[in-house]
Amino acid sequence: MKIIHTISELREWRKTVGTVAFVPTMGNLHAGHMSLIEAAKQQAAHTVVSIFVNRLQFGQGEDFDRYPRTLQSDADIIAAHGGVDVIFAPDEKELYPNVIQQYQVNPPAIAEELCGAFRPGHFRGVATVVTKLFNIVEADVACFGKKDYQQLAVIQGMVADLNIPIRIVPVDTGRASDGLALSSRNGFLNESQRAEAPRLFYHLSRMKTAIENGERDYSRLAIETVTDLRVRGWLEVDYVETRNALTLKPAASTDKHLVILIAARIGTTRLIDNIEVIL
């Protein structure tokens, strides 16, 4: 397993191999990332994992500076799970040599809703760095988790609109035994917050069951969830939304493939989750 830090070395390696599957990450890896890597290994002869904490997707006051940089332990975790061909771990100067990224990828208006409404510029930063990584790695396939459902939709739309020759493979959300979606940010939770955090998935599951049983008043379901979370001490509930799973537009009563999305803050940690509903 190679750890490569420069674009030039990665490109030289890429010339020597066949099909490549790619998993972009910001490091601080957990079991959810391992699921992505395992999915990638099924898609191509070779696998590349990138580890890069992307400043462009963090807003003012967000946790860029405290986001864990754990390259050695990440490499050990990957090796313990069978390894990959390459870990691409550039420093910031390698990926952004001019400090300021003058040319950026602006996603469409849907990226300004949901998480985008609370994290201005976030998806522009994601789309920009992912485009750069796609151009560097030149993979045939890339795996993205469904936990970041809006991000997945943005990447899928970007690849289609910009004719990027890569196939995007969605991977189901990894969860702890109590239902909490696996996330690097779970490490910021204290014991009591960690015990409370699975309530997000509880409410998603409750809303899914109600919809499957015929409920179509999505606003009422959302209000019930928000009320419960606030009573239990969640500081902010950014949104609870039922959307069309294919377009991310607000769900109509006739839609058959839905996704319920939630974002809320417990303590200083912002958690997101979602669940699909197929009628």
Side-chain angles (χ1 to χ4, degrees), residues 189-203:
L189 302 173
N190 63 32
E191 185 176 350
S192 62
Q193 291 165 349
R194 175 60 186 82
E196 175 66 18
R199 185 154 294 275
L200 293 186
F201 186 60
Y202 162 79
H203 277 295

Side-chain angles (χ1 to χ4, degrees), residues 239-272:
Y239 61 79
V240 180
E241 294 270 357
T242 302
R243 297 284 179 117
N244 181 297
L246 304 179
T247 66
L248 281 189
K249 293 180 180 179
S253 60
T254 56
D255 288 340
K256 300 300 183 184
H257 189 180
L258 308 173
V259 60
I260 310 167
L261 307 106
I262 191 167
R265 192 179 304 275
I266 183 168
T268 61
T269 303
R270 185 177 187 270
L271 300 178
I272 64 171

Side-chain angles (χ1 to χ4, degrees), residues 2-16:
K2 294 176 177 285
I3 299 180
I4 294 177
H5 298 283
T6 67
I7 295 170
S8 59
E9 185 181 353
L10 183 65
R11 283 179 167 158
E12 285 302 310
W13 172 83
R14 183 65 184 90
K15 292 175 184 177
T16 68

Side-chain angles (χ1 to χ4, degrees), residues 81-213:
H81 283 80
V84 295
D85 294 88
V86 169
I87 296 174
F88 179 48
D91 64 20
E92 198 166 35
K93 187 173 292 186
E94 180 70 15
L95 214 55
Y96 297 124
N98 297 320
V99 181
I100 297 174
Q101 179 73 21
Q102 297 184 64
Y103 294 87
Q104 299 193 29
V105 178
N106 285 310
I110 192 65
E112 298 173 8
E113 302 179 22
L114 301 169
C115 278
F118 295 88
R119 304 183 69 188
H122 170 70
F123 288 111
R124 182 175 64 247
V126 169
T128 299
V129 75
V130 169
T131 299
K132 288 171 72 74
L133 290 168
F134 283 175
N135 288 337
I136 292 165
V137 178
E138 296 183 323
D140 302 277
V141 179
C143 294
F144 286 82
K146 288 185 178 182
K147 183 183 78 71
D148 296 293
Y149 200 95
Q150 188 177 14
Q151 172 181 278
L152 172 62
V154 166
I155 298 303
Q156 289 174 318
M158 179 186 77
V159 164
D161 266 16
L162 298 183
N163 305 108
I164 300 174
I166 191 168
R167 180 166 56 90
I168 304 301
V169 175
V171 178
D172 289 340
T173 302
R175 297 188 181 277
S177 59
D178 58 7
L180 178 64
L182 299 179
S183 170
S184 297
R185 289 186 169 90
N186 293 348
F188 298 145
L189 302 173
N190 63 32
E191 185 176 350
S192 62
Q193 291 165 349
R194 175 60 186 82
E196 175 66 18
R199 185 154 294 275
L200 293 186
F201 186 60
Y202 162 79
H203 277 295
L204 290 172
S205 301
R206 179 188 64 83
M207 292 176 68
K208 176 180 179 178
T209 298
I211 292 169
E212 289 174 336
N213 289 335

Side-chain angles (χ1 to χ4, degrees), residues 54-68:
N54 177 41
R55 184 186 299 272
L56 289 186
Q57 68 193 70
F58 289 81
Q60 186 174 5
E62 292 189 333
D63 53 6
F64 173 77
D65 289 329
R66 70 170 183 148
Y67 196 93

Side-chain angles (χ1 to χ4, degrees), residues 36-90:
L36 290 171
I37 292 171
E38 289 306 311
K41 288 180 178 181
Q42 303 303 312
Q43 301 294 326
H46 303 275
T47 307
V48 174
V49 174
S50 67
I51 295 177
F52 178 71
V53 183
N54 177 41
R55 184 186 299 272
L56 289 186
Q57 68 193 70
F58 289 81
Q60 186 174 5
E62 292 189 333
D63 53 6
F64 173 77
D65 289 329
R66 70 170 183 148
Y67 196 93
R69 276 75 166 171
T70 55
L71 177 58
Q72 187 55 59
S73 63
D74 289 341
D76 293 343
I77 290 170
I78 292 173
H81 283 80
V84 295
D85 294 88
V86 169
I87 296 174
F88 179 48

